[in-house]
Short mmCIF file of all heavy atoms in Angstrom, two decimals:
data_model
loop_
_atom_site.label_atom_id
_atom_site.label_comp_id
_atom_site.label_asym_id
_atom_site.label_seq_id
_atom_site.Cartn_x
_atom_site.Cartn_y
_atom_site.Cartn_z
N LYS A 1 0.83 -1.20 0.00
CA LYS A 1 0.00 0.00 0.00
C LYS A 1 0.87 1.26 0.00
O LYS A 1 1.98 1.27 0.52
CB LYS A 1 -0.91 0.01 1.23
CG LYS A 1 -1.95 -1.10 1.25
CD LYS A 1 -2.84 -0.98 2.49
CE LYS A 1 -3.88 -2.09 2.54
NZ LYS A 1 -4.72 -2.00 3.76
N ASN A 2 0.33 2.33 -0.57
CA ASN A 2 1.06 3.59 -0.64
C ASN A 2 1.01 4.40 0.64
O ASN A 2 1.80 5.32 0.83
CB ASN A 2 0.53 4.45 -1.79
CG ASN A 2 0.82 3.85 -3.15
OD1 ASN A 2 1.82 3.16 -3.33
ND2 ASN A 2 -0.07 4.10 -4.11
N ASP A 3 0.03 4.08 1.50
CA ASP A 3 -0.14 4.86 2.73
C ASP A 3 0.04 4.03 4.00
O ASP A 3 -0.28 4.48 5.09
CB ASP A 3 -1.51 5.54 2.75
CG ASP A 3 -2.66 4.55 2.73
OD1 ASP A 3 -2.40 3.33 2.53
OD2 ASP A 3 -3.81 4.97 2.92
N GLU A 4 0.53 2.81 3.85
CA GLU A 4 0.74 1.96 5.02
C GLU A 4 1.90 1.00 4.77
O GLU A 4 1.98 0.37 3.73
CB GLU A 4 -0.52 1.17 5.36
CG GLU A 4 -0.42 0.39 6.65
CD GLU A 4 -1.73 -0.27 7.05
OE1 GLU A 4 -2.72 -0.12 6.30
OE2 GLU A 4 -1.78 -0.92 8.10
N ASP A 5 2.80 0.94 5.73
CA ASP A 5 3.95 0.05 5.63
C ASP A 5 3.87 -1.01 6.72
O ASP A 5 3.30 -0.77 7.80
CB ASP A 5 5.26 0.84 5.78
CG ASP A 5 5.45 1.86 4.68
OD1 ASP A 5 4.94 1.63 3.57
OD2 ASP A 5 6.10 2.90 4.95
N ALA A 6 4.47 -2.17 6.45
CA ALA A 6 4.48 -3.26 7.42
C ALA A 6 5.90 -3.80 7.54
O ALA A 6 6.55 -4.12 6.54
CB ALA A 6 3.52 -4.37 6.98
N PHE A 7 6.38 -3.88 8.76
CA PHE A 7 7.72 -4.39 9.03
C PHE A 7 7.64 -5.48 10.09
O PHE A 7 6.74 -5.49 10.93
CB PHE A 7 8.64 -3.27 9.52
CG PHE A 7 8.73 -2.09 8.59
CD1 PHE A 7 8.02 -0.93 8.84
CD2 PHE A 7 9.53 -2.14 7.46
CE1 PHE A 7 8.10 0.16 8.00
CE2 PHE A 7 9.61 -1.06 6.59
CZ PHE A 7 8.90 0.10 6.87
N TYR A 8 8.61 -6.38 10.06
CA TYR A 8 8.63 -7.50 11.00
C TYR A 8 10.03 -7.62 11.58
O TYR A 8 11.02 -7.56 10.86
CB TYR A 8 8.26 -8.79 10.28
CG TYR A 8 8.23 -10.02 11.16
CD1 TYR A 8 7.08 -10.38 11.85
CD2 TYR A 8 9.36 -10.82 11.31
CE1 TYR A 8 7.04 -11.50 12.67
CE2 TYR A 8 9.35 -11.93 12.14
CZ TYR A 8 8.18 -12.28 12.80
OH TYR A 8 8.17 -13.39 13.61
N THR A 9 10.10 -7.77 12.91
CA THR A 9 11.38 -8.02 13.55
C THR A 9 11.26 -9.21 14.48
O THR A 9 10.17 -9.52 14.97
CB THR A 9 11.86 -6.79 14.37
OG1 THR A 9 10.97 -6.56 15.47
CG2 THR A 9 11.93 -5.56 13.50
N THR A 10 12.37 -9.88 14.72
CA THR A 10 12.35 -11.12 15.49
C THR A 10 12.17 -10.90 16.98
O THR A 10 11.75 -11.80 17.69
CB THR A 10 13.65 -11.92 15.27
OG1 THR A 10 14.77 -11.09 15.65
CG2 THR A 10 13.78 -12.32 13.81
N ARG A 11 12.51 -9.72 17.47
CA ARG A 11 12.32 -9.39 18.89
C ARG A 11 12.50 -7.90 19.10
O ARG A 11 12.84 -7.15 18.17
CB ARG A 11 13.26 -10.21 19.77
CG ARG A 11 14.74 -10.04 19.49
CD ARG A 11 15.57 -10.89 20.45
NE ARG A 11 17.00 -10.72 20.24
CZ ARG A 11 17.89 -10.72 21.24
NH1 ARG A 11 17.50 -10.85 22.48
NH2 ARG A 11 19.17 -10.58 20.98
N PHE A 12 12.30 -7.45 20.34
CA PHE A 12 12.34 -6.03 20.66
C PHE A 12 13.69 -5.41 20.32
O PHE A 12 13.77 -4.30 19.77
CB PHE A 12 12.02 -5.81 22.14
CG PHE A 12 12.08 -4.38 22.58
CD1 PHE A 12 11.11 -3.48 22.16
CD2 PHE A 12 13.10 -3.92 23.40
CE1 PHE A 12 11.15 -2.14 22.57
CE2 PHE A 12 13.16 -2.59 23.79
CZ PHE A 12 12.18 -1.70 23.38
N ALA A 13 14.76 -6.12 20.63
CA ALA A 13 16.10 -5.58 20.37
C ALA A 13 16.32 -5.28 18.91
O ALA A 13 16.97 -4.30 18.55
CB ALA A 13 17.16 -6.55 20.88
N GLU A 14 15.79 -6.12 18.03
CA GLU A 14 15.93 -5.85 16.59
C GLU A 14 15.11 -4.65 16.18
O GLU A 14 15.51 -3.87 15.30
CB GLU A 14 15.50 -7.08 15.78
CG GLU A 14 15.74 -6.88 14.29
CD GLU A 14 15.23 -8.05 13.45
OE1 GLU A 14 14.82 -9.07 14.04
OE2 GLU A 14 15.26 -7.92 12.22
N LEU A 15 13.95 -4.46 16.80
CA LEU A 15 13.12 -3.29 16.51
C LEU A 15 13.88 -2.01 16.87
O LEU A 15 13.93 -1.06 16.08
CB LEU A 15 11.82 -3.38 17.31
CG LEU A 15 10.77 -2.31 17.04
CD1 LEU A 15 10.20 -2.46 15.63
CD2 LEU A 15 9.64 -2.40 18.08
N VAL A 16 14.51 -1.99 18.04
CA VAL A 16 15.29 -0.83 18.47
C VAL A 16 16.48 -0.61 17.55
O VAL A 16 16.93 0.52 17.35
CB VAL A 16 15.75 -1.03 19.93
CG1 VAL A 16 16.75 0.04 20.35
CG2 VAL A 16 14.56 -1.04 20.87
N ASP A 17 16.97 -1.68 16.97
CA ASP A 17 18.16 -1.63 16.12
C ASP A 17 17.84 -1.18 14.69
O ASP A 17 18.73 -1.14 13.85
CB ASP A 17 18.78 -3.03 16.08
CG ASP A 17 20.18 -3.04 15.50
OD1 ASP A 17 20.97 -2.15 15.84
OD2 ASP A 17 20.47 -3.93 14.69
N SER A 18 16.58 -0.82 14.42
CA SER A 18 16.15 -0.57 13.04
C SER A 18 15.43 0.77 12.90
O SER A 18 14.20 0.84 12.86
CB SER A 18 15.21 -1.70 12.58
OG SER A 18 15.82 -2.96 12.78
N PRO A 19 16.16 1.88 12.82
CA PRO A 19 15.52 3.19 12.66
C PRO A 19 14.84 3.32 11.31
O PRO A 19 15.25 2.70 10.32
CB PRO A 19 16.68 4.16 12.79
CG PRO A 19 17.88 3.38 12.36
CD PRO A 19 17.63 1.98 12.83
N ILE A 20 13.79 4.13 11.28
CA ILE A 20 13.04 4.40 10.05
C ILE A 20 12.85 5.91 9.94
O ILE A 20 12.55 6.58 10.94
CB ILE A 20 11.66 3.72 10.07
CG1 ILE A 20 11.79 2.22 10.36
CG2 ILE A 20 10.92 3.94 8.75
CD1 ILE A 20 10.46 1.53 10.64
N MET A 21 13.05 6.45 8.77
CA MET A 21 12.79 7.88 8.55
C MET A 21 11.78 8.05 7.44
O MET A 21 11.90 7.44 6.36
CB MET A 21 14.08 8.64 8.21
CG MET A 21 13.84 10.14 8.03
SD MET A 21 15.36 11.13 7.93
CE MET A 21 15.96 10.70 6.28
N TYR A 22 10.75 8.87 7.69
CA TYR A 22 9.75 9.21 6.68
C TYR A 22 9.98 10.65 6.23
O TYR A 22 10.10 11.56 7.06
CB TYR A 22 8.34 9.07 7.25
CG TYR A 22 7.85 7.63 7.30
CD1 TYR A 22 8.09 6.85 8.41
CD2 TYR A 22 7.17 7.07 6.23
CE1 TYR A 22 7.66 5.54 8.47
CE2 TYR A 22 6.72 5.76 6.26
CZ TYR A 22 6.98 4.99 7.40
OH TYR A 22 6.55 3.68 7.43
N ALA A 23 10.04 10.84 4.92
CA ALA A 23 10.23 12.17 4.35
C ALA A 23 9.85 12.12 2.88
O ALA A 23 9.63 11.03 2.31
CB ALA A 23 11.67 12.63 4.52
N ALA A 24 9.77 13.29 2.25
CA ALA A 24 9.62 13.31 0.80
C ALA A 24 10.81 12.58 0.20
O ALA A 24 11.94 12.74 0.69
CB ALA A 24 9.55 14.75 0.30
N PRO A 25 10.58 11.77 -0.81
CA PRO A 25 11.66 10.90 -1.29
C PRO A 25 12.88 11.65 -1.81
O PRO A 25 12.78 12.46 -2.71
CB PRO A 25 10.99 10.09 -2.40
CG PRO A 25 9.78 10.86 -2.79
CD PRO A 25 9.33 11.59 -1.57
N ASP A 26 14.01 11.39 -1.19
CA ASP A 26 15.32 11.82 -1.68
C ASP A 26 16.28 10.69 -1.35
O ASP A 26 17.00 10.73 -0.36
CB ASP A 26 15.76 13.12 -1.03
CG ASP A 26 17.11 13.61 -1.56
OD1 ASP A 26 17.65 12.96 -2.49
OD2 ASP A 26 17.63 14.62 -1.05
N MET A 27 16.28 9.67 -2.17
CA MET A 27 17.05 8.46 -1.92
C MET A 27 17.85 8.06 -3.15
O MET A 27 17.37 8.17 -4.27
CB MET A 27 16.13 7.31 -1.51
CG MET A 27 15.47 7.50 -0.16
SD MET A 27 14.36 6.14 0.30
CE MET A 27 12.92 6.57 -0.67
N SER A 28 19.06 7.61 -2.91
CA SER A 28 19.92 7.07 -3.96
C SER A 28 20.58 5.81 -3.41
O SER A 28 20.69 5.63 -2.20
CB SER A 28 20.99 8.10 -4.37
OG SER A 28 20.40 9.28 -4.86
#
């Protein structure tokens, strides 16, 4: 979906270890 993302991690520590940034796309 364009307005919803889904992520999966094996435990809490992996979740903390995985930052996410949302912004207007500027990626290479």
Side-chain angles (χ1 to χ4, degrees):
K1 294 182 180 179
N2 293 329
D3 62 351
E4 186 174 1
D5 297 331
F7 304 101
Y8 181 88
T9 66
T10 58
R11 59 179 182 143
F12 178 71
E14 185 184 353
L15 186 67
V16 171
D17 193 44
S18 307
I20 306 169
M21 182 169 73
Y22 282 89
D26 182 4
M27 292 179 281
S28 300

